[in-house]
């Protein structure tokens, strides 16, 4: 079955995906979800390593690899590399997350491939960058979370470093790579030339530290753990109610005044300990204790309704089941039900961005390893006799 675009937005582009595990496949998924013809290149079944997310039938793998086609090629053999290069001749994008030395050894580095396809956008995702003292180190999400500073500001004060509950460095590295690819494709429309797009888990993590980096580079501070409370905007954080916990975010003077009124404490507005943002920061422990004491007089639902009605941001703290049960989440329609020919009905999360004319959808569920090998090679001009010979020789 030929390419079925998930959107018309990127449907004219073909992507050769040489990545594995999570960061690279996330970049490929982003492009596939917007319609690119993403061809996932994997080692043949008998040669594969542990390159899947929980096994090919696992939920993680099924979520990550939808909207792609799959081909197997033995890249340890010269003919496998030759077939790959033939595919790349007419591709728009190559995605890879090998260690920096591997692509050079295989002869599929950017400098080599741009000679056969000058318009190629070649995207590399690594742990630490393509050059430098750590370039050859293995890179994984939690390593980047630690080295990029995230774990030093996550968790309760004095608790010690804490990782976040998702592979945020992998995910952001993949999303930034896809973003870089789209920027390069836009630039190619003017210049006609491709280029090498590079990012790393460490770079992604440092960038995502956002205002915490500014505190360090501009203010000269070393941010620490603030637990469930915002480090600079008080009161913002997790508060206990009569029957659970809620998040409250109070930003700005007018919102602070509304909040004080709803809490039945208009005296806070003039109190020297809470009159200004800086005073609230100094006296945060006193103020948070006062807020929590008053909140425990009523339920979470009561306060969520009361505060939101006053224009003060407030929300419940959900587990994943509760998150999907939220009426607004159901209204947004991000969860799509699809039918896998291999595994039956599935519910998968769609893209968090809506385009009015060229929306994204899940047009194809995750393929089995090599499911489209002969289809794609036939599209590239290989005849049946050649395909049979290559299969017998273990090329795919």
């Amino acid at each position: 079955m030929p390419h079925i675009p998930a959107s018309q937005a990127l449907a004219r582009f073909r992507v050769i995906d040489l990545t594995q595990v999570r960061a690279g496949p996330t970049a490929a998924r982003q492009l596939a979800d917007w319609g690119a013809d993403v061809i996932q290149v994997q080692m043949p079944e008998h040669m594969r390593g542990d390159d899947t997310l929980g096994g090919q039938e696992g939920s993680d793998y099924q979520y990550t690899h939808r909207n792609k086609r799959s081909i197997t090629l033995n890249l340890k053999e010269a003919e496998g590399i030759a077939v790959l290069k033939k595919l790349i001749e007419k591709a728009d994008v190559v995605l890879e997350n090998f260690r920096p030395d591997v692509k050079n050894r295989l002869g599929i580095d950017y400098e080599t491939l741009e000679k056969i396809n000058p318009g190629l956008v070649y995207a590399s995702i690594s742990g630490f960058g393509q050059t430098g003292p750590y370039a050859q180190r293995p890179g994984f999400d939690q390593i980047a979370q630690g080295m990029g500073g995230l774990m030093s500001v996550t968790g309760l004060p004095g608790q010690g470093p804490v990782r976040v509950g998702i592979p945020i460095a992998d995910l952001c590295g993949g999303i930034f790579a896809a973003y870089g690819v789209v920027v390069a494709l836009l630039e190619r429309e003017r210049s006609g030339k491709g280029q090498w797009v590079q990012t790393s888990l460490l770079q992604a993590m440092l960038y995502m530290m956002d205002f915490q980096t500014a505190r360090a580079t501009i203010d000269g501070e070393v941010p620490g753990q603030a637990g469930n409370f915002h480090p600079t905007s008080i009161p913002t954080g997790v508060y206990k109610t009569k029957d659970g916990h809620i998040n409250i975010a109070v930003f700005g003077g007018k919102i602070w005044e509304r909040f004080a009124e709803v809490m039945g404490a208009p005296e806070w507005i003039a109190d020297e300990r809470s009159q200004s943002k800086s005073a609230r920061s100094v006296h945060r422990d006193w103020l948070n204790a006062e807020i929590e004491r008053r909140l425990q007089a009523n339920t979470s639902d009561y306060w969520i309704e009361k505060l939101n009605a006053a224009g003060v941001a407030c929300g419940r703290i959900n587990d994943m089941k509760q998150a999907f049960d939220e009426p607004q989440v159901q209204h947004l329609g991000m969860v799509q039900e699809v039918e896998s020919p291999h595994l039956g009905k599935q519910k998968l999360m769609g893209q968090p961005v809506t385009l009015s004319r060229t929306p994204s959808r899940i047009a194809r569920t995750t393929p089995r390893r090599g499911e489209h090998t002969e289809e794609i090679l036939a599209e590239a001009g290989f005849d049946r006799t050649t395909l049979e010979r290559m299969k017998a020789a273990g090329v795919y």
Side-chain angles (χ1 to χ4, degrees):
M1 186 185 298
H3 173 47
I4 306 171
S7 170
Q8 289 304 310
L10 301 180
R12 66 189 185 278
F13 299 115
R14 172 170 281 192
V15 177
I16 306 299
D17 174 20
L18 303 176
T19 67
Q20 55 183 332
V21 189
R22 189 179 306 279
T26 295
R29 182 192 66 211
Q30 292 301 104
L31 299 172
D33 279 1
W34 292 108
D37 182 11
V38 174
I39 298 173
Q40 179 187 16
V41 180
Q42 298 174 285
M43 294 296 282
E45 181 67 30
H46 68 281
M47 298 182 63
R48 75 178 182 87
D50 185 17
D51 61 351
T52 60
L53 300 166
Q56 286 211 335
E57 295 189 355
S59 58
D60 197 355
Y61 189 87
Q62 292 294 307
Y63 170 71
T64 302
H65 294 287
R66 79 284 185 96
N67 286 330
K68 305 175 186 179
R69 294 195 286 172
S70 174
I71 182 174
T72 55
L73 280 177
N74 182 355
L75 300 184
K76 295 184 178 180
E77 295 292 336
E79 190 169 10
I81 293 292
V83 172
L84 176 63
K85 288 182 176 179
K86 185 172 178 62
L87 293 175
I88 290 172
E89 285 176 8
K90 295 184 178 179
D92 299 284
V93 178
V94 166
L95 293 173
E96 64 88 14
N97 62 349
F98 299 116
R99 283 200 203 179
D101 62 317
V102 173
K103 54 183 165 289
N104 294 292
R105 190 169 70 246
L106 293 175
I108 52 174
D109 53 282
Y110 174 65
E111 291 81 1
T112 299
L113 296 182
E114 73 164 334
K115 292 181 174 64
I116 65 174
N117 184 348
L120 184 68
V121 172
Y122 186 104
S124 295
I125 307 171
S126 61
F128 305 101
Q130 297 299 306
T131 58
Y134 299 166
Q136 300 302 327
R137 285 189 181 185
F140 291 91
D141 174 83
Q142 188 157 338
I143 308 302
Q145 285 194 35
M147 293 180 66
L150 178 62
M151 291 174 66
S152 74
V153 299
T154 305
L156 301 174
Q159 182 180 11
V162 177
R163 69 178 292 275
V164 301
I166 58 171
I168 191 169
D170 276 343
L171 297 175
C172 291
I175 291 169
F176 288 151
Y179 172 62
V181 164
V182 173
V183 171
L185 289 171
L186 285 170
E187 193 281 336
R188 190 181 71 172
E189 294 181 356
R190 181 185 62 80
S191 67
K193 298 178 181 178
Q195 57 185 305
W196 190 5
V197 176
Q198 302 174 37
T199 191
S200 69
L201 305 190
L202 182 59
Q203 287 168 285
M205 200 68 274
L206 285 165
Y207 187 84
M208 289 301 294
M209 292 301 290
D210 196 65
F211 76 96
Q212 299 284 33
T213 65
R215 292 175 72 190
T217 62
I218 297 174
D219 300 333
E221 298 179 19
V222 179
Q225 293 166 308
N228 285 321
F229 293 99
H230 195 283
T232 61
S233 180
I234 310 300
T236 294
V238 176
Y239 295 90
K240 189 175 183 180
T241 67
K242 187 176 183 179
D243 62 351
H245 294 82
I246 57 175
N247 274 315
I248 300 174
V250 180
F251 285 89
K254 291 294 183 184
I255 302 298
W256 160 246
E257 292 177 8
R258 291 182 203 163
F259 174 71
E261 294 285 351
V262 173
M263 295 304 299
E267 67 274 13
W268 290 349
I269 298 170
D271 193 311
E272 290 183 357
R273 295 172 294 180
S274 53
Q275 189 174 37
S276 66
K277 180 179 178 180
S278 58
R280 292 193 292 274
S281 183
V282 170
H283 300 285
R284 64 172 65 206
D285 291 340
W286 162 78
L287 181 57
N288 283 332
E290 283 295 304
I291 292 169
E292 200 155 82
R293 181 176 65 80
R294 291 172 180 267
L295 287 171
Q296 289 181 46
N298 268 297
T299 65
S300 295
D301 285 345
Y302 171 87
W303 289 115
I304 289 169
E305 182 176 350
K306 196 85 169 172
L307 288 166
N308 278 294
V312 179
C314 178
R316 68 185 73 254
I317 300 171
N318 293 323
D319 60 27
M320 287 309 302
K321 180 184 183 304
Q322 292 168 331
F324 288 123
D325 287 341
E326 285 276 9
Q328 185 64 26
V329 172
Q330 294 178 6
H331 169 78
L332 291 170
M334 289 181 65
V335 178
Q336 300 180 34
E337 186 168 302
V338 293
E339 184 81 25
S340 166
H342 310 298
L343 301 174
K345 290 189 184 300
Q346 296 179 333
K347 290 183 179 180
L348 299 175
M349 181 67 69
Q351 282 290 316
V353 179
T354 301
L355 273 63
S356 61
R357 287 190 299 102
T358 57
S360 171
R361 65 191 178 102
I362 299 176
R364 190 195 295 268
T365 55
T366 295
R368 291 274 171 85
R369 179 185 298 268
E371 184 175 327
H372 306 101
T373 300
E374 294 187 356
E375 167 189 308
I376 291 167
L377 293 182
E379 292 173 2
F382 293 93
D383 59 33
R384 172 52 55 186
T385 301
T386 303
L387 291 176
E388 290 175 355
R389 179 191 61 75
M390 289 196 300
K391 187 173 184 178
V395 176
Y396 67 86

